[in-house]
Amino acid sequence: MSKVMYLLEYPIDLPGGAQMSTQSLCQGLRKARAGIEPVVVCPSLLEKSKEDYPYSVITYKAYENRENRKIVRFWNLILRIFAYREIINKVKPDIVHIQMPESAIAYGILKTFGLFPNIKYVFTDRGLYYGYRKHSISLLCYSLKYGDQILCTTKLNKNLWLENTNFSNIALISNTISDEFEEYREEKRREVRKRQGYGENDFVLGFAGRVCQEKNWPLVQKICRALTDRKIHYKVELVMAVFEQGDEEVVKEVRKGIEECIGKENLCYHQDLSQSEMADYYYAVDVFLMTSKFESFGKAAVEAMSRKCAIISTKAGGLVEVVGKEENLYEVDNIKKCVDYIEELERNREKLKEEKAFFYERYEKNYSQKKCLKEHILLYEKLLRKD
C-alpha cells in the first residue's frame, strides 16, 4: 500500500477550496481501493475529531493564520517546518501532495537541506499564476525546483506557468468536487423543490459563496433590481458562508437588497451549509449566477452543473474556461447580457431545459469526481513507477 500525504496550512474542517478538494480526493481514493492510502496533515481541527474521517488525519500546533498578522504567519511557518519534518519522518509517505503555497514553501525549505530525497513531490496550483505577490511566487518557484509534478486546474493557469517559468513538468487536472455531487437524481430535485414550496413553473435563481470582496455581493443586488424592473417573476435561493467579524453585516445588507426587489417570502436564505446540504441546495435552482470579480477556477459553477442548473457567469479568471460558452459570460460592469439571458430563460422554458442539459453534459465530460480521481490515480501510479 503506497501512502500519499497531503500537507495543509489550514484545518481540514475549515471550509475552503483546498480543504474540500483534499477531502474529496481522500474519500475517492478510499472508495476506489487503488492501493493508495491517503494521509492528511493539518493544524488542529476546529470542530470535528480525527475519528470523523475515514482516512488518517494528523494534526500539528498552529495559530490562527490571518493575512494581516505577519508575525503570527511567520511563526506558523517555523512551526510548520518542524511539524512536517517530524511527521514525514514518522509516516514515511511515498508521495507528498501539496495544494497550498505556504505549505509548499515550508516543504521546499526542508528539501533545501537534502531531506526526503526519495519522496515524490506534487504541487497543485489551485489559483492563477498572476494572483501571487512577487515574493510569494519567488519562494514558491524555489520550492518547486524540487518538485516532480506541477498540476494546474485550468488551461489558462497551465499556460501562465509555461509562459512565465522554466518549468516543463506541468499537467492539467481540474478541481475535484465532493462525491456528494456525483449522482444526479430527478426525484431528488422534485423532493427538494416541494420541500422549499416551489411549484413546477416557479423560476428559481441561485447565488452562493463566502463573504469576501472577490464574490462581489453588491452585484447580486444590482442584478435583482434590474430583473425586477423588467417585471420578471423569480424566487431566490441564497447561500452565504460567514467566517470573520463583520460578515453578518454584509449578509444583512444582501438579504435586505434582495427582499426589497422580490419580497421576503420569495427569498430562501441558508448559511454555512455542509457539502451534503449544498448538494441538495442546487436541486432547487434553475439558473445559478456567478458574480465574482476573481475566480481561479469556480468550483461552485461545476457543483451547479452537476445538479442540472443553467449557468450565467462573469468573465472572471478560470470561470471563462469552466463555463465554456461565450454567450453565458458577461462583464462585471455591464449586466445587460446577464439580465437578457435570465429573461429569455424565464420566458422560454424549452430553452431553459436545453441549457440545463448542456451544462450537465459538460460536467459529466469534464469535471466529474470520477474523471478527476482517475487522473490523480494515474499520476500517482506513474510517479511511483519511476522508482
Side-chain angles (χ1 to χ4, degrees):
M1 180 78 75
S2 302
K3 292 179 183 175
V4 177
M5 179 176 283
Y6 300 91
L7 303 181
L8 305 178
E9 64 232 33
Y10 291 97
I12 192 73
D13 63 340
L14 175 69
Q19 297 94 302
M20 290 177 182
S21 287
T22 301
Q23 288 186 50
S24 299
L25 258 179
C26 292
Q27 290 164 358
L29 288 171
R30 292 282 292 181
K31 280 186 179 181
R33 299 185 179 181
I36 298 172
E37 179 186 347
V39 179
V40 171
V41 177
C42 67
S44 302
L45 302 179
L46 300 177
E47 296 180 359
K48 293 191 174 183
S49 66
K50 299 175 189 178
E51 291 71 30
D52 291 330
Y53 296 91
Y55 42 84
S56 177
V57 175
I58 301 171
T59 59
Y60 62 89
K61 182 176 176 59
Y63 299 97
E64 192 175 5
N65 209 39
R66 297 224 176 178
E67 185 68 30
N68 60 351
R69 300 173 67 188
K70 293 183 179 178
I71 294 175
V72 173
R73 289 172 74 87
F74 179 75
W75 182 238
N76 276 341
L77 176 65
I78 303 301
L79 292 174
R80 196 173 296 123
I81 290 168
F82 282 98
Y84 288 172
R85 185 186 68 172
E86 181 182 345
I87 294 167
I88 293 170
N89 277 328
K90 184 177 179 181
V91 177
K92 295 180 172 54
D94 300 282
I95 297 172
V96 164
H97 188 165
I98 302 174
Q99 302 189 71
M100 294 182 169
E102 290 183 26
S103 293
I105 292 166
Y107 188 66
I109 292 170
L110 291 170
K111 295 287 282 184
T112 300
F113 293 100
L115 297 176
F116 320 126
N118 299 319
I119 297 175
K120 302 298 181 183
Y121 172 20
V122 179
F123 175 72
T124 297
D125 182 21
R126 302 185 65 263
L128 292 173
Y129 182 88
Y130 58 67
Y132 294 103
R133 295 187 180 93
K134 192 172 181 180
H135 71 278
S136 296
I137 196 64
S138 297
L139 289 169
L140 183 56
C141 287
Y142 178 80
S143 171
L144 293 176
K145 288 194 305 181
Y146 304 99
D148 294 279
Q149 183 70 65
I150 299 171
L151 298 177
C152 295
T153 59
T154 60
K155 291 177 186 174
L156 167 66
N157 197 35
K158 179 182 176 181
N159 290 335
L160 288 171
W161 275 90
L162 290 170
E163 291 164 8
N164 290 283
T165 71
N166 295 320
F167 296 116
S168 58
N169 56 337
I170 303 174
L172 173 67
I173 299 182
S174 298
N175 251 337
T176 310
I177 66 171
S178 168
D179 58 359
E180 300 284 356
F181 296 91
E182 192 62 19
E183 181 187 10
Y184 176 84
R185 294 188 294 126
E186 190 62 39
E187 66 272 18
K188 183 71 174 180
R189 180 182 186 276
R190 289 192 290 269
E191 175 192 316
V192 170
R193 284 180 64 98
K194 184 178 179 181
R195 186 171 69 220
Q196 297 296 87
Y198 301 140
E200 189 56 38
N201 291 321
D202 282 327
F203 186 63
V204 183
L205 306 181
F207 302 93
R210 65 186 184 278
V211 176
C212 62
Q213 288 186 347
E214 289 84 357
K215 299 301 179 185
N216 201 2
W217 289 106
L219 187 57
V220 173
Q221 300 169 73
K222 187 177 177 182
I223 289 171
C224 287
R225 282 195 294 271
L227 292 169
T228 299
D229 288 345
R230 291 202 190 181
K231 311 295 184 192
I232 299 168
H233 300 289
Y234 65 98
K235 298 176 185 291
V236 171
E237 284 275 333
L238 173 67
V239 179
M240 299 179 76
V242 173
F243 297 122
E244 298 182 5
Q245 190 175 7
D247 286 356
E248 291 287 358
E249 287 303 312
V250 177
V251 169
K252 196 180 296 182
E253 184 67 24
V254 174
R255 292 181 66 178
K256 180 184 175 186
I258 296 173
E259 287 170 1
E260 286 174 353
C261 294
I262 61 175
K264 192 172 183 178
E265 70 281 4
N266 290 314
L267 169 64
C268 185
Y269 175 69
H270 314 267
Q271 188 165 303
D272 300 334
L273 297 188
S274 67
Q275 285 292 281
S276 176
E277 290 167 329
M278 284 300 296
D280 282 358
Y281 156 80
Y282 290 108
Y283 274 119
V285 174
D286 291 304
V287 183
F288 186 72
L289 292 88
M290 299 286 286
T291 57
S292 308
K293 294 177 184 175
F294 176 85
E295 286 283 354
S296 55
F297 181 77
K299 194 152 70 78
V302 173
E303 292 173 353
M305 288 180 200
S306 78
R307 291 299 178 255
K308 295 191 179 181
C309 298
I311 311 293
I312 180 79
S313 169
T314 50
K315 293 182 177 180
L319 275 171
V320 175
E321 187 175 319
V322 170
V323 173
K325 201 177 179 190
E326 175 59 33
E327 53 265 47
N328 290 63
L329 297 164
Y330 66 97
E331 301 288 352
V332 170
D333 55 359
N334 183 6
I335 64 169
K336 183 179 182 300
K337 188 176 181 182
C338 172
V339 175
D340 287 346
Y341 175 79
I342 293 167
E343 182 174 23
E344 181 184 6
L345 296 192
E346 196 273 334
R347 311 287 191 220
N348 185 347
R349 298 307 173 94
E350 195 57 39
K351 170 75 171 175
L352 174 61
K353 192 183 295 185
E354 290 170 6
E355 287 289 283
K356 290 182 174 187
F358 169 84
F359 283 109
Y360 183 67
E361 184 179 339
R362 182 166 178 77
Y363 157 74
E364 285 199 306
K365 183 179 178 181
N366 299 288
Y367 301 115
S368 70
Q369 192 202 58
K370 191 180 296 182
K371 179 180 183 292
C372 296
L373 179 63
K374 181 181 178 182
E375 290 172 344
H376 276 97
I377 291 172
L378 289 173
L379 169 65
Y380 294 154
E381 290 175 344
K382 178 183 174 183
L383 290 174
L384 291 169
R385 280 196 301 271
K386 285 185 178 180
D387 290 337

